[in-house]
Amino acid sequence: MKHAIPLFLAAVASLAQAQDVGTILKAADSYRMGSDHLQVDTLVETFRADGTPDKERRYTVFAQAGRQSLVLMQSPAEKGQKVLMLGDDFWLLMPNSQRPLRITPMQKLLGDASTGDIATMSWSGDYTATLNGEEACQPAGAADAATPPDAGKTQEKKANAAFSASKVCYQLSLQASRKGVPYQRIELWVGKQRREPVRANLYVQSDKLAKQARFVMDKPGAGATVSAMVLTDQLSNQKQTRVTYLSRKERTVPAEWL
């Protein structure tokens, strides 16, 4: 009986930690989502190695409950193309074609932004998480180095500085719980005070570090949301791709759209 008590307490502590990790992850998700049914207007920009702008594309994303998303491509070069995500399946629909093409969540849209980066926005529904501990949110000098020169609006810099001022982060390990996600494993840093996502290391199926992500907040304090995600390639050229969320609003689309 004496031995059973410590084991019981350890089990209770483990369960409490698991529940707390789930709460942390859902809170981090809320900075990106905010609703189960959303319309998100998105701008994707690529930057050359010297930080100067290269290309850009615009997308309208309808992210719906039940792991369903529809991405409409809005730029002239892609106008009329659509990506449909239904659970673990991704389909590309081309104009004037009745036959959708099966694609993967890692299919590139522009630069280092993939269909999965644009269409999937939930960590808590797609990954199981463990809490590794607490540590500094950013390595020294990392925040400045990760910002393309022309992307540094004054308000954005102030917001980012304020959020990174929650100097201590929870460091989480996320493991994919289903196959239709772009990354098999994610290392995620979440602010301890506000539970906002700060940065992430994104690993592909082979467990290679494919990208590093940094999350930009639109303002300091309560009511903030993630206004942009900056992706830095880790496999080849170290170029950056910036995914900016121009607007979000609640919208449930007709079932026939999906």
Side-chain angles (χ1 to χ4, degrees):
M1 187 67 180
K2 289 181 180 179
H3 296 294
I5 293 174
L7 291 173
F8 172 75
L9 292 176
V12 169
S14 177
L15 178 61
Q17 185 188 54
Q19 290 174 335
D20 190 48
V21 170
T23 301
I24 293 170
L25 202 56
K26 285 181 180 178
D29 267 341
S30 70
Y31 283 90
R32 302 196 303 157
M33 288 289 291
S35 172
D36 287 337
H37 298 86
L38 275 181
Q39 176 181 325
V40 185
D41 293 311
T42 305
L43 171 67
V44 178
E45 302 167 279
T46 59
F47 296 86
R48 300 183 184 92
D50 63 358
T52 56
D54 184 15
K55 297 177 182 177
E56 67 175 51
R57 296 283 188 273
R58 289 180 181 263
Y59 304 92
T60 299
V61 182
F62 301 98
Q64 306 291 288
R67 298 188 180 113
Q68 301 180 98
S69 291
L70 176 65
V71 181
L72 304 182
M73 303 186 185
Q74 304 288 13
S75 297
E78 302 172 323
K79 195 72 173 178
Q81 296 182 36
K82 305 171 187 176
V83 171
L84 180 63
M85 183 190 83
L86 297 174
D88 290 331
D89 298 320
F90 286 73
W91 304 90
L92 175 64
L93 294 89
M94 302 294 290
N96 305 317
S97 174
Q98 300 298 316
R99 194 183 187 104
L101 303 174
R102 187 80 173 263
I103 61 174
T104 73
M106 289 303 289
Q107 188 92 14
K108 293 294 181 69
L109 289 176
L110 182 69
D112 231 31
S114 67
T115 53
D117 291 320
I118 303 299
T120 61
M121 299 182 72
S122 172
W123 289 314
S124 57
D126 297 336
Y127 293 86
T128 56
T130 55
L131 177 61
N132 295 332
E134 300 175 10
E135 63 182 45
C137 290
Q138 294 280 8
D144 293 336
T147 306
D150 68 333
K153 299 171 186 173
T154 301
Q155 182 64 22
E156 179 181 294
K157 282 186 173 180
K158 287 181 180 177
N160 245 18
F163 270 81
S164 281
S166 52
K167 296 169 184 155
V168 176
C169 270
Y170 292 117
Q171 202 275 312
L172 308 178
S173 287
L174 278 57
Q175 192 70 36
S177 57
R178 63 188 190 88
K179 64 179 183 179
V181 293
Y183 309 106
Q184 184 66 23
R185 183 167 69 89
I186 297 175
E187 294 174 349
L188 177 65
W189 284 260
V190 174
K192 182 177 179 181
Q193 183 179 357
R194 299 187 180 94
R195 312 285 175 89
E196 78 283 4
V198 175
R199 63 186 178 98
N201 292 336
L202 309 172
Y203 294 83
V204 291
Q205 190 75 33
S206 63
D207 208 38
K208 287 183 178 179
L209 176 60
K211 310 172 192 175
Q212 290 184 318
R214 182 176 58 86
F215 302 96
V216 180
M217 311 307 295
D218 62 348
K219 61 183 178 181
T225 59
V226 172
S227 63
M229 174 175 65
V230 180
L231 299 168
T232 304
D233 170 68
Q234 296 298 311
L235 293 177
S236 57
N237 54 29
Q238 292 284 311
K239 288 185 178 179
Q240 290 192 354
T241 302
R242 182 184 181 86
V243 181
T244 301
Y245 309 109
L246 301 173
S247 67
R248 292 180 180 88
K249 63 181 179 182
E250 289 193 34
R251 183 173 179 184
T252 301
V253 301
E256 56 267 25
W257 285 24
L258 305 169

